[in-house]
Amino acid sequence: MATEQALSRDEKIYDITIIGGGPTGLFAAFCCGMRNASCKIIDSLPELGGQLATLYPEKYIFDVGGYPKVLAKDLVESLKEQAFQYNPAVNLNEEVVSLERREDDVFELKTDKRIHLSRAIIICAGIGVFTPRPLPTDKAKDYEEHGIYYYVDKLDQFRSKKVLVIGGGDSAVDYALMIEPVAEQVTLIHRRDGFRAHEESVKKLYDSSINVKTFVELHDLHGESGVLEAATLINNKSKETERIEVDTIVSGLGFSASLGPITEWGLEIENNEIVVNTKMETNIPGIYAAGDIVNYPGKIKLIATGFGEAPTAVNNAKTYIDPNARLSPGHSSSRKQ
């Protein structure tokens, strides 16, 4: 990490700096523009869009109002087009390290590359820094470059392949349904018979050609010269094993998340999430949060929820910066043409 002496400094003081360029962060940037608040987005990833762009651009998203379904990559492009109407500053490939408030109430936000200045902060960092949960076999490392995937970014890599998907949550079920149209055969295994995915997705799963095996876990992997050829499965009730031919394995076991340096900023953290009130305020004045990173009673982690939290955070940040500003700018449909 660069030392403070080596860090460059952006001397412009922005009204609002958004940490995280995923869907919630991008919509928050648009809301900043609607409130005539200067805005900067900082993200550790090399491109905007968060998990939608990095982990599953080919995945359909079903929980966004107005879209019966929309590819993740297309939703990201629409969000970028919407936000970029107001030309937010964007700094990618920068990991946020520390945050301090100066005597003039301006925040100094340090990344691994430079120092940023802002009057208010909105944290939209999703689940934080995420790493895939490992498959339950030591042999997985032998095939991670030759047949094992922890996310789906290109469907063509599964074309005409025998694919094994592991997991019982939304990611696993969605991956299996995404891959089915291009693969020769898809098998999904889950260690229980109850899925944590949306009910409609589970219905589609059982109506598909996907071979669903419950109470089944991965037991062993097989292949020559580092190329995956087969997997041994085990029924965790009967202890019977079964060997099936597979070309690729997709893990839907999820990701472990870490808030990283954010935990050292004095924010109230609960269950690895930032506690906010109904204004999306944290316990530190001037710092707000929205999206999957926040925690409050009744919180539901959906993209649609983040789209509601973003304008709440931005409008309250606007009144924090300018106490004379109105909290609600009114509805665009009620404005005179």
Side-chain angles (χ1 to χ4, degrees):
M1 186 177 66
T3 63
E4 183 172 339
Q5 289 75 20
L7 295 177
S8 62
R9 176 185 289 267
D10 184 348
E11 296 295 346
K12 179 176 178 179
I13 302 175
Y14 285 82
D15 291 327
I16 298 173
T17 294
I18 299 167
I19 301 174
T24 299
L26 285 169
F27 191 58
F30 164 72
C31 295
C32 288
M34 291 288 285
R35 294 308 307 268
N36 197 28
S38 60
C39 170
K40 175 184 283 185
I41 301 172
I42 300 174
D43 200 297
S44 61
L45 296 173
E47 61 181 322
L48 292 169
Q51 292 186 57
L52 297 190
T54 306
L55 300 184
Y56 41 79
E58 299 287 345
K59 177 181 175 180
Y60 278 110
I61 306 299
F62 297 97
D63 65 359
V64 178
Y67 289 99
K69 65 178 182 178
V70 57
L71 282 174
K73 63 182 181 181
D74 293 338
L75 179 59
V76 169
E77 288 305 311
S78 294
L79 286 163
K80 287 163 62 177
E81 180 182 355
Q82 185 181 41
F84 286 177
Q85 296 176 86
Y86 300 104
N87 299 312
V90 177
N91 291 76
L92 299 175
N93 274 321
E94 288 196 36
E95 183 179 349
V96 174
V97 176
S98 65
L99 182 66
E100 297 178 2
R101 189 199 300 272
R102 304 191 316 197
E103 290 184 0
D104 60 359
D105 281 339
V106 170
F107 288 103
E108 267 197 2
L109 194 155
K110 294 184 178 71
T111 70
D112 56 348
K113 293 182 179 178
R114 57 182 58 86
I115 298 172
H116 305 269
L117 306 178
S118 190
R119 294 184 175 87
I121 304 288
I122 301 178
I123 304 172
C124 301
I127 61 172
V129 178
F130 48 88
T131 54
R133 293 191 176 96
L135 290 175
T137 170
D138 292 337
K139 289 186 179 179
K141 295 180 181 179
D142 298 336
Y143 302 100
E144 286 181 350
E145 301 296 326
H146 304 280
I148 291 180
Y149 298 86
Y150 291 95
Y151 53 88
V152 176
D153 58 348
K154 296 177 183 177
L155 283 178
D156 271 349
Q157 59 198 359
F158 304 105
R159 190 170 299 278
S160 302
K161 300 286 185 67
K162 296 182 180 71
V163 182
L164 173 64
V165 180
I166 302 174
D170 274 312
S171 292
V173 173
D174 288 346
Y175 286 157
L177 291 171
M178 286 168 56
I179 295 169
E180 181 206 16
V182 302
E184 176 183 334
Q185 175 62 53
V186 177
T187 300
L188 183 146
I189 62 171
H190 182 37
R191 59 192 177 91
R192 296 194 296 265
D193 63 347
F195 289 88
R196 301 183 308 282
H198 284 84
E199 291 87 347
E200 178 63 18
S201 298
V202 176
K203 181 179 182 299
K204 289 179 179 178
L205 176 69
Y206 279 107
D207 288 342
S208 73
S209 66
I210 297 167
N211 186 13
V212 180
K213 296 177 179 288
T214 56
F215 297 111
V216 171
E217 300 178 46
L218 179 65
H219 183 65
D220 201 1
L221 298 175
H222 314 278
E224 295 288 338
S225 302
V227 177
L228 185 64
E229 297 175 357
T232 297
L233 312 179
I234 184 168
N235 185 297
N236 58 30
K237 285 194 164 184
S238 67
K239 305 305 178 184
E240 293 180 354
T241 60
E242 174 189 10
R243 177 169 169 148
I244 64 171
E245 293 183 6
V246 295
D247 301 305
T248 61
I249 292 177
V250 178
S251 172
L253 298 179
F255 296 82
S256 57
S258 170
L259 297 185
I262 291 177
T263 59
E264 301 171 5
W265 296 356
L267 295 164
E268 183 180 355
I269 306 291
E270 185 177 301
N271 297 324
N272 207 42
E273 298 159 339
I274 299 172
V275 176
V276 296
N277 60 18
T278 56
K279 298 179 180 181
M280 298 297 115
E281 292 175 318
T282 70
N283 59 305
I284 300 177
I287 302 181
Y288 301 78
D292 285 352
I293 201 167
V294 304
N295 182 307
Y296 55 81
K299 164 71 178 182
I300 300 213
K301 292 192 176 185
L302 291 174
I303 292 173
T305 307
F307 287 164
E309 294 164 352
T312 299
V314 169
N315 286 319
N316 280 284
K318 175 71 176 182
T319 60
Y320 170 81
I321 296 166
D322 179 8
N324 294 320
R326 289 183 301 166
L327 174 62
S328 174
H331 302 286
S332 58
S333 58
S334 66
R335 295 175 183 170
K336 294 182 180 179
Q337 300 296 320

